[in-house]
Amino acid sequence: MPNSSGRPSRPVAGRSRRPFSSNTASGDSARRSSSAHRSTPRTGGYSRPNSSSSSSSSFSRGGYAGGRSFGGRSSFGGGSRGGSSRGRGRVMSTFDVSKFINLNPAKPVTEAPYQAKHTFNDFGLDKDLALAIATMGLVTPSPIQDQVIPYILQGHDVVGLAQTGTGKTAAFLIPVIHKTLHERSRQTLILTPTRELAIQIEQELRRLTPRMNLYATVCVGGMNIRPQISGLRRKNHFIIGTPGRVQDLIDRGHIKPGGITTVIFDEADRMLDMGFIHDMREILKDIPDERETLFFSATMSKSVEGLVNDFLRDPITVSVRKTDITNSITQDVVRYEHHNKFDTLVNLLKTEEFTRVIVFGAMKHSVEKLSLELVHAGIKADAIHGNKSHVQRQRALKNFKDGRVQVLVATDVAARGIHVDDVSHVINYDLPGTYEDYVHRIGRTGRSDKSGKALTFVPAH
Ligand code: AMP
């Protein structure tokens, strides 16, 4: 799939109301509900690709110490909303190193190719929208699109179990745009866990709605609220935002929940992990019950299932989750001594095959520091974390996507929903806070049909 970096010609920021165009009809209702998996790692140890300088004992082979558990809560800094750990997913209070090792990954995507049952023409979409889809180069509906679009068009509540990279954004945008073009009084609220994801969705919305006179405002935290408020002054067909800021704007009277006809939760599991549950519930409280609700999540845990039961009416569930994405990613641990953890990282990054690397750190400040130290050590690096301004984050991401920097150092939260092709390695310099975080982190590599490599730093002693 082409990546989502289709750059908008104008800046997005927290206002982006802009026209997209056209005219009348809508949907109705019906409903039902579903599952998830996990990895089967093995043992091993990372052996350096070019052992010419393998003198460093820090990433010695045979890293695995027979399933020994280590660490307590504090060992797994795992970035989170604002760096705290409130509302996280399952915390790994004891940690089995073998979970980070899989030296014989399955060949990526050995599953039979999906046979789409529809073409985009089959959906009977508005002709301008169909044209925009074709212009974007989307030819065949992806599996999630193929399965979910008809239900959304019919007005069903839908649960879509799909990771990023599956085309899930277009899966919900396309039918909702179609319905909005035919019933312009509709207003859709899209909630996302991070501002980056909100902006990416808005970018895709723009690409799908040229000259259609549809309006959207992005309402995300960490950015000046004023342009968002002014963007909300006139009717928006789409409001895309993070739960905290959206709730704030509802409280201030700038978003009127009574007028919202469709609510979309994107990466709902991440929102839960990030402690947004209270805001999510509050936001829904005043949105009319007759709303349509679409719920996208990469995982289906008990708590996610609880949300589905509370928020959706008789939903149809469609799952396109791969059997196990972690299976196709080579995973290993890197043993380090405390005194030379950083040097161990630098040595790895200087290895030829580490062409495009995301390094995960635990905290915002440590991520920033690590990035500066890497630059100092001669590695082209940039950082993405919550203490950076929006513009800085976007710039770092662009530098990384465009190949101007080799390494992106990131906190978990900042990395949510990042779509970057050809990430050669994910390095967990600091341990993730939860196993879900681990899976999410390493999923940044091995996207689509590519194989990926993930390395996790664990103390030698
Ligand atoms: P998402 O799962 O929404 O993060 O989508 C990831 C990427 O897939 C985006 O760059 C989309 O432009 C791309 N994409 C979406 N739908 C399709 C499709 N039907 N065929 C090919 N690429 C697609």
Side-chain angles (χ1 to χ4, degrees):
M1 282 188 188
N3 87 36
S4 63
S5 58
R7 302 185 195 359
S9 46
R10 59 193 123 144
V12 191
R15 26 113 273 225
S16 66
R17 354 200 19 265
R18 59 337 100 130
F20 313 99
S21 147
S22 189
N23 57 35
T24 56
S26 100
D28 52 17
S29 280
R31 344 290 150 158
R32 287 180 261 133
S33 238
S34 154
S35 72
H37 324 260
R38 199 133 289 147
S39 79
T40 19
R42 268 155 247 164
T43 63
Y46 181 69
S47 54
R48 194 128 186 260
N50 270 334
S51 49
S52 51
S53 54
S54 61
S55 53
S56 170
S57 59
S58 350
F59 49 86
S60 59
R61 337 191 55 254
Y64 176 53
R68 130 181 126 89
S69 294
F70 63 87
R73 178 73 187 94
S74 59
S75 308
F76 322 118
S80 69
R81 188 187 181 191
S84 81
S85 59
R86 82 187 171 99
R88 309 310 323 273
R90 265 183 325 113
V91 171
M92 293 186 286
S93 53
T94 56
F95 226 176
D96 182 351
V97 183
S98 68
K99 288 199 143 207
F100 305 136
I101 302 172
N102 178 6
L103 296 177
N104 297 303
K107 286 273 167 279
V109 194
T110 42
E111 300 156 23
Y114 178 81
Q115 296 292 334
K117 292 181 202 58
H118 306 94
T119 65
F120 282 114
N121 286 338
D122 294 339
F123 297 133
L125 298 172
D126 174 276
K127 67 173 179 6
D128 289 338
L129 176 57
L131 183 64
I133 292 169
T135 308
M136 282 173 68
L138 309 185
V139 180
T140 310
S142 70
I144 185 75
Q145 293 162 0
D146 190 41
Q147 296 174 66
V148 120
I149 288 176
Y151 289 124
I152 302 178
L153 287 171
Q154 288 163 21
H156 290 276
D157 279 6
V158 167
V159 177
L161 297 179
Q163 287 111 349
T164 54
T166 54
K168 68 180 167 58
T169 311
F172 60 72
L173 284 182
I174 288 172
V176 174
I177 292 168
H178 172 83
K179 296 205 298 189
T180 309
L181 288 173
H182 288 264
E183 188 184 342
R184 286 181 163 267
S185 58
R186 297 182 74 99
Q187 187 176 51
T188 298
L189 172 66
I190 304 176
L191 292 172
T192 74
T194 64
R195 68 184 104 157
E196 278 74 19
L197 187 55
I199 287 161
Q200 282 180 159
I201 292 172
E202 200 269 353
Q203 290 172 349
E204 193 142 338
L205 180 63
R206 281 185 188 197
R207 294 161 76 207
L208 284 165
T209 57
R211 297 173 300 284
M212 293 183 195
N213 289 319
L214 295 179
Y215 292 90
T217 294
V218 174
C219 302
V220 292
M223 292 175 67
N224 190 344
I225 199 167
R226 283 179 196 288
Q228 299 175 8
I229 291 173
S230 79
L232 290 169
R233 278 208 183 103
R234 63 162 286 173
K235 181 174 164 77
N236 284 272
H237 302 93
F238 293 88
I239 296 170
I240 308 167
T242 45
R245 178 56 61 91
V246 167
Q247 180 58 48
D248 190 5
L249 286 161
I250 289 176
D251 290 344
R252 296 177 188 217
H254 299 292
I255 295 178
K256 312 237 171 352
I260 294 169
T261 54
T262 307
V263 181
I264 302 174
F265 294 93
D266 195 16
E267 300 202 358
D269 49 348
R270 308 306 331 171
M271 281 193 268
L272 263 191
D273 276 358
M274 289 165 68
F276 279 133
I277 179 66
H278 177 70
D279 290 328
M280 291 158 83
R281 286 192 189 284
E282 280 297 302
I283 290 168
L284 276 193
K285 228 174 46 191
D286 296 320
I287 297 179
D289 285 347
E290 314 77 68
R291 68 171 187 266
E292 286 164 16
T293 311
L294 312 177
F295 189 98
F296 286 79
S297 177
T299 54
M300 180 56 102
S301 62
K302 276 268 165 284
S303 41
V304 173
E305 217 172 303
L307 279 193
V308 167
N309 291 335
D310 291 353
F311 292 175
L312 284 80
R313 275 186 301 167
D314 198 14
I316 308 266
T317 299
V318 170
S319 175
V320 298
R321 287 165 49 81
K322 300 237 176 77
T323 10
D324 188 341
I325 61 151
T326 59
N327 259 351
S328 63
I329 298 172
T330 305
Q331 299 157 63
D332 205 354
V333 295
V334 175
R335 297 280 184 191
Y336 68 89
E337 303 288 345
H338 280 284
H339 65 277
N340 67 354
K341 183 178 182 186
F342 177 73
D343 292 340
T344 305
L345 176 65
V346 171
N347 284 338
L348 283 174
L349 293 174
K350 288 192 169 163
T351 310
E352 203 176 328
E353 68 175 88
F354 287 68
T355 51
R356 184 172 284 188
V357 186
I358 300 181
V359 175
F360 281 97
M363 313 292 277
K364 293 181 269 193
H365 63 269
S366 62
V367 159
E368 178 64 22
K369 185 160 167 268
L370 181 58
S371 151
L372 295 174
E373 285 170 353
L374 287 173
V375 171
H376 194 66
I379 308 269
K380 286 186 180 154
D382 212 332
I384 182 163
H385 55 74
N387 280 351
K388 284 207 159 188
S389 72
H390 166 69
V391 173
Q392 289 171 321
R393 287 161 76 156
Q394 289 297 101
R395 195 186 304 131
L397 196 52
K398 188 164 186 326
N399 283 340
F400 186 58
K401 281 182 175 175
D402 294 350
R404 276 193 291 278
V405 297
Q406 172 200 358
V407 177
L408 186 68
V409 191
T411 54
D412 288 84
V413 171
R416 295 277 175 259
I418 285 179
H419 313 299
V420 182
D421 284 341
D422 300 324
V423 172
S424 64
H425 293 78
V426 164
I427 296 181
N428 297 307
Y429 189 68
D430 293 326
L431 292 170
T434 66
Y435 187 72
E436 281 83 355
D437 281 339
Y438 174 73
V439 172
H440 193 268
R441 284 179 175 191
I442 71 171
R444 307 297 94 196
T445 183
R447 288 169 70 81
S448 309
D449 57 351
K450 311 255 171 47
S451 51
K453 294 205 172 98
L455 296 173
T456 301
F457 274 56
V458 299
H461 304 290

